[in-house]
Amino acid sequence: MTIGDLIRLLSDGEFHSGEQLGDRLGVSRTAVWKQLKKLEALGIPFEAVKGQGYRLAMPLELMDGGKVVAGLSRHGRQHLARLFVEETLPSSNEFIRQRFAQGAGHGEVCLVEQQSAGRGRRGRVWSTPWGGALMLSVGWRFESGVATLEGLSLAVGVALAKALERHDMKPRLKWPNDVLLANERGELGKLAGILVEISGDMGGPCEVVVGMGINFNLPEGFRAQIEQRVAAVHDQAPTLSRNQLATELLDELLPLLAGYEAMGFAAWQEAWNVRHAFQGREVDVLRGQQRLVATAESVDESGNLWIRHGDGRERLGGGEISVRGRT
């Protein structure tokens, strides 16, 4: 029995006694109780009523690999080699890297309900409640080398933005790898982060893992623990299914990866710039301990961000540089 097994039974809206749950799951009532305590520890609210049993306080949709694959278009499906759905992992990116080490990985996707060691850019921890985010990693093997992959994380941001826009959301893109959305208070907050990890030769074959973490449903108590403004899909699309968005995102993302060596970021440059969160606005540019106030301009065909400060202009590459909007 897993947490997912228990959630599937409890999320039908009906009360289930400990004895009924044990019978359905093939375990003892003591084992059921231990799993219920795990739900509590994970912050998944459930109701316990004497004489009636247990049920989830609100529905919780689990990731369903069969549903995701069945919903893919023919164009998206042809690029998918295999899809994994895991309940918990240290890191979905690490899972795909291990698949590459085993001789697989290319065209493979991993969806995970919760990560214990998920990372964002610059080594930051990416934390989400169990089942409250859409977290996925995609593996892809490129033959032309690292140099052809300039701007890939920005193009991935465009793919996510396009999927969200199908549901009347208006995401904005923050250089180099964040997707922003207006939250319940109308403030622009971080919706998603993108982490692209590349291993291989500068001029030869390389393996890429594209990781994404997308906030879906964040309780107020969880938001209060985060030291930056955040947003979630359900702030603007409260009925959107995680499985549906996963399908629509992969329909955008898999063809993007398949064609990226041939087209490069130039094919995505205009689409990124029209969704630029800080175009023409003052931003703080952070480089180590240095902070520079500048005006953000557009990104070029290589995915570099141009800024203006003083009497000159400067081009920012990736690396350990962060750009933040000024309030």
Side-chain angles (χ1 to χ4, degrees):
M1 178 181 61
T2 66
I3 289 290
D5 295 330
L6 183 59
I7 287 172
R8 286 183 183 90
L9 288 179
L10 294 178
S11 61
D12 63 0
E14 303 295 326
F15 280 101
H16 300 269
S17 70
E19 185 177 359
Q20 289 171 334
L21 291 170
D23 289 343
R24 294 281 300 276
L25 296 168
V27 297
S28 68
R29 292 181 63 179
T30 301
V32 169
W33 176 246
K34 288 180 179 179
Q35 291 295 78
L36 287 167
K37 297 300 287 184
K38 287 183 181 180
L39 288 187
E40 190 174 47
L42 290 169
I44 301 173
F46 65 92
E47 299 173 354
V49 178
K50 190 173 182 178
Q52 296 188 64
Y54 310 93
R55 69 177 180 185
L56 290 188
M58 59 187 68
L60 181 59
E61 178 197 19
L62 297 172
M63 298 308 303
D64 185 328
K67 188 178 292 186
V68 171
V69 173
L72 288 172
S73 69
R74 183 179 178 184
H75 190 41
R77 180 68 184 85
Q78 68 178 333
H79 300 299
L80 177 66
R82 190 169 180 182
L83 185 141
F84 299 88
V85 178
E86 304 291 330
E87 285 195 7
T88 58
L89 285 173
S91 161
S92 56
N93 269 27
E94 176 61 26
F95 180 93
I96 295 295
R97 283 198 300 271
Q98 291 176 1
R99 292 291 298 168
F100 275 125
Q102 296 163 10
H106 176 73
E108 296 190 347
V109 176
C110 178
L111 301 167
V112 61
E113 296 287 5
Q114 187 179 53
Q115 298 183 116
S116 59
R119 292 187 301 113
R121 187 167 170 264
R122 303 171 77 183
R124 295 189 181 98
V125 175
W126 180 268
S127 179
T128 57
W130 202 100
L134 173 56
M135 291 179 287
L136 63 87
S137 295
V138 183
W140 205 265
R141 186 174 289 107
F142 293 90
E143 298 301 324
S144 302
V146 176
T148 65
L149 303 180
E150 290 181 322
L152 178 57
S153 66
L154 280 73
V156 170
V158 174
L160 174 55
K162 287 183 174 182
L164 296 169
E165 287 162 358
R166 297 184 188 183
H167 303 280
D168 297 323
M169 286 181 270
K170 296 182 179 179
R172 312 301 293 169
L173 301 177
K174 174 178 174 288
W175 187 89
N177 60 354
D178 287 348
V179 180
L180 310 180
L181 192 72
N183 61 23
E184 292 173 321
R185 298 185 177 90
E187 304 164 334
L188 204 60
K190 181 172 178 176
L191 174 77
I194 298 161
L195 180 64
V196 176
E197 297 180 301
I198 303 173
S199 59
D201 299 330
M202 286 298 295
C206 58
E207 296 166 346
V208 174
V209 181
V210 176
M212 305 179 72
I214 306 160
N215 296 327
F216 229 84
N217 183 24
L218 296 182
E220 276 303 316
F222 192 88
R223 294 180 194 233
Q225 302 171 23
I226 303 174
E227 296 179 352
Q228 62 176 309
R229 288 179 179 173
V230 293
V233 169
H234 281 177
D235 293 342
Q236 292 195 12
T239 63
L240 180 58
S241 153
R242 283 196 300 158
N243 286 295
Q244 181 179 353
L245 184 60
T247 295
E248 293 170 352
L249 175 56
L250 290 175
D251 258 340
E252 296 282 351
L253 186 56
L254 291 169
L256 181 159
L257 293 170
Y260 203 79
E261 279 181 292
M263 297 187 294
F265 180 67
W268 301 89
Q269 178 187 4
E270 181 180 355
W272 197 97
N273 280 320
V274 299
R275 296 169 175 85
H276 188 351
F278 302 129
Q279 177 78 48
R281 291 177 50 188
E282 277 197 341
V283 295
D284 288 324
V285 179
L286 308 178
R287 284 182 279 209
Q289 300 301 312
Q290 297 181 332
R291 181 186 297 265
L292 171 70
V293 177
T295 299
E297 296 186 348
S298 56
V299 299
D300 62 22
E301 67 279 358
S302 297
N304 301 305
L305 176 67
W306 284 89
I307 59 171
R308 183 178 296 278
H309 57 95
D311 296 326
R313 297 173 71 232
E314 183 180 351
R315 182 179 61 188
L316 302 180
E320 298 301 302
I321 302 174
S322 180
V323 174
R324 297 178 183 173
R326 309 199 86 209
T327 54

